[in-house]
Amino acid sequence: MMLKDPSSKYRPFQTVQLPDRQWPDRVQRHPPVWCSVDMRDGNQALIDPMSLERKRRFFDLLVRTGFKEIEVGFPAASQIDYDYVRELIETNAIPDDVTIQVMTQAREDLIERTFEALQGVPRAIVHVYNATAPVFREVVFNVDRQGCIDIATHATRRIREQMARYPDTDWTFQYSPETFCFTEQDFALEICEAVMDVMAPTPRHKMILNLPTTVEVATANVFADQIEWFCRHVSRRDSIIISVHPHNDRGTGVSSAELALLAGAERVEGTLFGNGERTGNLDLLNLAMNLYAAGVSPGLDFSDIHHTQREVEYCNQLPVHPRHPYSGDLVFTAFSGSHQDAIKKGFAARANNPQGFWEVPYLPVDPADLGRSYEAVIRVNSQSGKGGVAYLMEQHGITLPRRLQMEFSTAVQLIADQTGREITGDMILECFRKEYLFDAAPLALRDPVVTTADGRARLRGALQTPEGEFTLQGSGNGPLSALVDACARLGLAFDIADYHQHSAGDGADSEAYAYVEIRVGTRQLFGVARDQNVLTASLQALVCALNRAIGKGWLALESRQNVTRITLKD
C-alpha cells in the first residue's frame, strides 16, 4: 500500500552546488559519438537472449544505420557472446570504420577471457566497470573507498598488460564508475583519476570515462550538474572522452542524455527504442530524431524507420509501442477533429511553400523523411471531425468545400457512433457514394442543351419524375441559374447558395467533380456529381441536391389533375 507520507521512507536526492552552471544556456549544434549497447546491455534484458543469427542481423542493421561504435557483448560471461565475437572477427564482418566494444567485470580471469575473444580484432574498446556508490560498497561488496579504488586500478593494470600483448590491435580503454549518478561527487572523481593514473591516456590516445545513471535517482537537470561539475574538475580533460549511459527508471533517459551533452559529455551509450533492464536505456533513436527535428544532422540514418522497427522487434522479440516517439505506428496519426483540421491546413500551407521550413501542426518532423506515407496521418473515429474526413477524401482526389465538409462529416460521425470503431478511407468513400453519388431518383435530368446568346444562358431539356417526363425551359446568367429558372416554372422555388468544381486528376480525360449547394426555404444542402464534362457535372449536382432534399422530406412531389409539381414542405 502506498504511504500517505512517503518522506518517512524515501528521501529526495541531494542537488549539486553549482550556482554558475553553464549548460542551461548552451545549444546542441552537433551530434554526439553514438555507441549502441543493444547486443550487450539490451540483450541482457531480454526474456530470451539473442541467438547468434539474431545478433548478426542486429549488427548488420546497426552498421547500415551508421553506428561506428557497437558494444557486441560480454564474451567472458557468455559462450554465445564469446562465439559471436569470434565470428565477427574471423569472418571479417567488422567494417573498417566500425569499432566493436566488449564489456568485462573487474576480475582477472574475466579480463583474460575477454582478450582471448578479441584476438585478431583490428580495433576494439574494452570496457571495464565496478560499482562505486555507498550502498554497493557497504551492502554488496563490503569495501571502503580505498578498497573500491583498488578493484578499479587492479583491473586497469591487467587490461593494460593484455593490450600490450596484442600490439597489432588499436585498443581503446573505457572505465565506468557503474553507479556514478549516486556516487559521491568527490569519490567519483577520485576513482576516475586513479584509473587514469594507471592507464595514462594522452591527447593522441584517449580513454573513455563512461558516467552512467545506472538507476535514475534525480531529475535530468541534477545529472547535468553532476556532468558539468565532473568535467570542470577532472584532470587531463584533453586526453579523455566523457561518455554517458542513462537508464530510464524515472522516464527521463532521453532528457538526461540531452542535458548531459549540454553539460560537456561527448558520447552516449544506449539502445534502439530504449530496450534494457527495468524501464530500459536511453533510446538512441529518440535522441537522434530530437536532434534531427532541431535541424542537426544526427549522423544516423532512419530513412526507413518501419524496417528498423521491424528488425529490432524480430531481434529483441519485443514489440515497439504504437505511441513510441517517431517510430510507433500511430505517432503521426491524428484522430482528434481539431488536430485533423490543423494538420490539413498545415499541409495546404506547405503545398504553397514546399521548400520552406517544416511547419505542420502536430507533426514535429515530416513523416516522409522517415519513409512513412501520409496515408495514416489522419484517421477517423468518433473523436474526429470535418478536417479528418476532408483530408481522407482529398487523398482520393475529392476536395470538399468547407460547408460540405461539415455536412458530410455528420454522416460519417453517425457511422462512427453506431459502430464505435475506426472508420477507414474505404468506408468513408462508400458513405460518400451512398449519400451523394447515388443513381438519380426520383428526379432525373434528361438531354439538357445549353445555348448562350446576348450574355444569357438558355437551357432546354426534360425532367424525369415518377409521374412522367416534363419539359424544362429556362434562362439565366449561367447554366445553373437557367436550370433554377426552369425548375421555378414547374413550381419549385429555391436558390443556389454555393458552387464549386474541380478536376479529379490530370489529363483531358479526367473526371470533374461539381458541388452545388441549394437553399430551400431556410435550409441548405449539397448535391454532388462527377462527369468528364464540367457542365454536365454541374447540372447533375443541382438535381442531386433536389433529390436529397426530397429524400429528407424538405420537398414533396404532388400530382394534381395529371400534373406533377414539386412543392416546399413546411
Side-chain angles (χ1 to χ4, degrees), residues 16 147 153 237 270 398 432 473 526:
V16 178
T153 53
R237 186 64 182 86
I398 304 173
F432 187 75
Q473 294 188 55
F526 273 90

Side-chain angles (χ1 to χ4, degrees), residues 14 148 159 200 209 263 270 285 300 416 438 460 497:
Q14 185 176 355
C148 191
I159 289 173
L209 286 179
L285 181 146
L300 299 177
F438 48 80
R460 292 181 60 84

Side-chain angles (χ1 to χ4, degrees), residues 161-179:
E161 291 169 1
Q162 289 289 336
M163 288 178 173
R165 291 182 59 194
Y166 304 100
D168 293 336
T169 296
D170 182 5
W171 299 107
T172 299
F173 174 68
Q174 175 172 317
Y175 173 68
S176 291
E178 188 208 356
T179 46

Side-chain angles (χ1 to χ4, degrees), residues 335 340 378-393 400 404-433 435-436 548:
F335 289 103
Q340 292 174 344
I378 290 178
R379 289 161 63 177
V380 173
N381 62 14
S382 61
Q383 305 300 305
S384 306
K386 65 183 184 303
V389 172
Y391 177 84
L392 290 180
M393 294 295 289
L400 304 181
L404 180 53
Q405 294 176 23
M406 299 168 65
E407 180 183 297
F408 178 51
S409 67
T410 301
V412 176
Q413 184 73 37
L414 180 61
I415 297 175
D417 288 340
Q418 290 173 343
T419 62
R421 299 171 56 192
E422 178 186 353
I423 307 301
T424 66
D426 288 342
M427 293 170 68
I428 291 173
L429 279 176
E430 182 60 25
C431 178
F432 187 75
R433 293 189 189 100
E435 190 75 19
Y436 298 100
R548 293 188 68 237

Side-chain angles (χ1 to χ4, degrees), residues 28 32 34 213 216 220 223 244-247 252-263 265 267-269 282-284 287:
Q28 192 72 24
W34 304 100
T213 55
E216 281 196 311
F223 184 56
V244 291
H245 183 124
H247 279 254
T252 56
V254 172
S255 299
S256 293
E258 289 177 324
L259 299 192
L261 289 171
L262 297 178
R267 180 181 184 267
V268 293
E269 293 187 346
L282 158 67
D283 180 352
L284 295 178
L287 178 60

